[in-house]
Amino acid sequence: KALTFFEQALELGPRPEMRPEIELQIAECHRQGGDFEEAYRRYNEFVKKWPDDPRTPEARYRAGYCKLRQGNGPLARRALEDLLALWPGDKLPADKAQAEYVVRAAYDLGLT
């Protein structure tokens, strides 16, 4: 039901500042529904469309997570490494919630 709601919200033409949030929620609905391929595609779309959005660390991490869940270690590794490359060494995003995704990526890299 949430997926339908967010898709309808996009069709209605939301305010420009709301569009990234809705698109991220659609990707999240696919991930939580177990459609990891579609979620992966949506997260990557989000990163391409909204590279400066503060939630890109989350989208990049979740893209890698989706590939990890599908058993595709090489693509998961690439997504996680791309995220980690944005914050080399011990650097982290200023937003603590987003910094958590960088830390998770470092851990999950070992699972690939």
Side-chain angles (χ1 to χ4, degrees):
K1 289 183 181 185
L3 179 59
T4 301
F5 170 78
F6 289 120
E7 287 173 339
Q8 288 176 348
L10 276 185
E11 288 175 18
L12 292 174
R15 294 177 302 184
E17 67 272 11
M18 292 300 299
R19 191 167 187 86
E21 175 64 27
I22 294 168
E23 289 181 11
L24 192 61
Q25 289 299 327
I26 289 173
E28 185 64 7
C29 286
H30 285 289
R31 183 184 71 82
Q32 293 215 8
D35 187 353
F36 297 115
E37 189 61 35
E38 182 63 17
Y40 175 79
R41 188 182 72 73
R42 298 279 185 147
Y43 286 125
N44 282 323
E45 258 181 34
F46 180 89
V47 170
K48 287 177 187 165
K49 283 176 75 174
W50 315 104
D52 297 326
D53 190 282
R55 293 165 295 206
T56 58
E58 176 182 358
R60 287 177 181 274
Y61 169 76
R62 294 206 186 276
Y65 172 88
C66 288
K67 286 301 171 185
L68 194 59
R69 288 295 306 262
Q70 289 181 303
N72 190 332
L75 278 180
R77 184 171 198 79
R78 183 179 315 147
L80 297 172
E81 285 176 339
D82 288 348
L83 171 56
L84 292 170
L86 296 173
W87 286 278
D90 60 352
K91 295 180 180 151
L92 292 172
D95 181 303
K96 291 201 185 289
Q98 295 304 314
E100 180 180 330
Y101 292 106
V102 176
V103 172
R104 285 183 182 182
Y107 174 82
D108 284 358
L109 195 61
L111 303 175
T112 63

